[in-house]
Amino acid sequence: DQQVKQNSPSLSVQEGRISILNCDYTNSMFDYFLWYKKYPAEGPTFLISISSIKDKNEDGRFTVFLNKSAKHLSLHIVPSQPGDSAVYFCAASHIQGAQKLVFGQGTRLTINP
Amino acid sequence: DAGITQSPRHKVTETGTPVTLRCHQTENHRYMYWYRQDPGHGLRLIHYSYGVKDTDKGEVSDGYSVSRSKTEDFLLTLESATSSQTSVYFCAISEIEGPTNEKLFFGSGTQLSVL
């Protein structure tokens, strides 16, 4: 049973436009969420995170939005650049339960020039 | 980049043979993890370690064992490899456990093919 779901396996966006990657979760105990980025032949690298006490966190071109009532989070990349082409993984954890990170299936983002 | 080395980077083996993957870190981090990445499943935790000789199971631990005799090395063993264990395996390390899991650093991965 997939507790963290990324329902779009792939996404294609024009350079300079906004990229929106979505993630849904089913476990209401999750209270910390992260996005990782992965290039081919490399390991995932941390991108941005958000705690459940917030509904938005911004870091440069990257913004993560959290909608707790809908159990949904999204990653916005503005403006999108060719170097953003990668696989993006959403992950969640439960702080108090010391639960290990649970990852989504990943979304492959392609930025077209 | 975090000092994490996985070996081998690629391996092809036959069903029923034992396989050991090695993760070596130079960061002296306490926590080490083994994940596998499969299409449609993302990254799934196999085993993790919270110190020398202290290990625990993750969500997909069946068919795998681990050992950590030194802080810097974390070994993943497939006692008798099966085709379902064909995957990309990632080692990860972290300095602390809990809410700041963004401190999770990954190695470059090992592509394992079981024929």
Side-chain angles (χ1 to χ4, degrees), chain A residues 32 36 38 43-44 46 100 104-105, chain B residues 40 42 90 97 99 101-102 104 107:
Chain A
Y32 197 76
Y36 281 80
K38 183 186 177 306
F46 169 74
K100 300 297 176 284
Q105 306 96 309
Chain B
F90 288 100
E97 184 180 55
N101 277 337
E102 66 264 28
L104 205 62

Side-chain angles (χ1 to χ4, degrees), chain B residues 17-82:
Chain B
T17 60
V19 177
T20 296
L21 308 182
R22 181 182 183 234
C23 179
H24 178 78
Q25 61 147 329
T26 57
E27 306 296 322
N28 201 35
H29 283 0
R30 178 180 175 187
Y31 299 93
M32 299 186 75
Y33 309 79
W34 276 107
Y35 286 87
R36 59 178 289 176
Q37 182 196 356
D38 304 287
H41 292 280
L43 292 153
R44 292 180 293 175
L45 182 64
I46 305 171
H47 281 280
Y48 64 98
S49 169
Y50 41 94
V52 173
K53 297 187 179 177
D54 288 325
T55 65
D56 208 346
K57 297 179 179 180
E59 62 177 300
V60 290
S61 59
D62 287 348
Y64 301 95
S65 63
V66 290
S67 65
R68 192 168 177 200
S69 58
K70 298 184 290 185
T71 299
E72 58 267 34
D73 290 325
F74 193 31
L75 304 180
L76 177 70
T77 297
L78 291 67
E79 300 292 345
S80 177
T82 68

Side-chain angles (χ1 to χ4, degrees), chain A residues 26-46:
Chain A
T26 58
N27 189 338
S28 58
M29 299 299 289
F30 286 146
D31 52 13
Y32 197 76
F33 305 89
L34 307 91
W35 286 92
Y36 281 80
K37 176 180 181 179
K38 183 186 177 306
Y39 291 119
E42 295 183 11
T45 56
F46 169 74

Side-chain angles (χ1 to χ4, degrees), chain A residues 3-5 7 22-28 30 33 52 54-55 65-74:
Chain A
Q3 298 185 73
V4 178
K5 300 179 183 179
N7 293 317
N22 294 303
C23 178
D24 297 297
Y25 60 96
T26 58
N27 189 338
S28 58
F30 286 146
F33 305 89
S52 61
K54 296 184 176 181
D55 54 19
F65 295 92
L66 176 62
N67 182 334
K68 291 184 289 294
S69 61
K71 295 191 180 68
H72 177 84
L73 65 156
S74 60

Side-chain angles (χ1 to χ4, degrees), chain A residues 6 8 10 14 20 30 36 41 54 60 64-65 76 83 85 91-92:
Chain A
Q6 294 175 255
S8 297
S10 63
Q14 202 76 17
I20 300 177
F30 286 146
Y36 281 80
K54 296 184 176 181
V64 56
F65 295 92
H76 292 211
S85 295

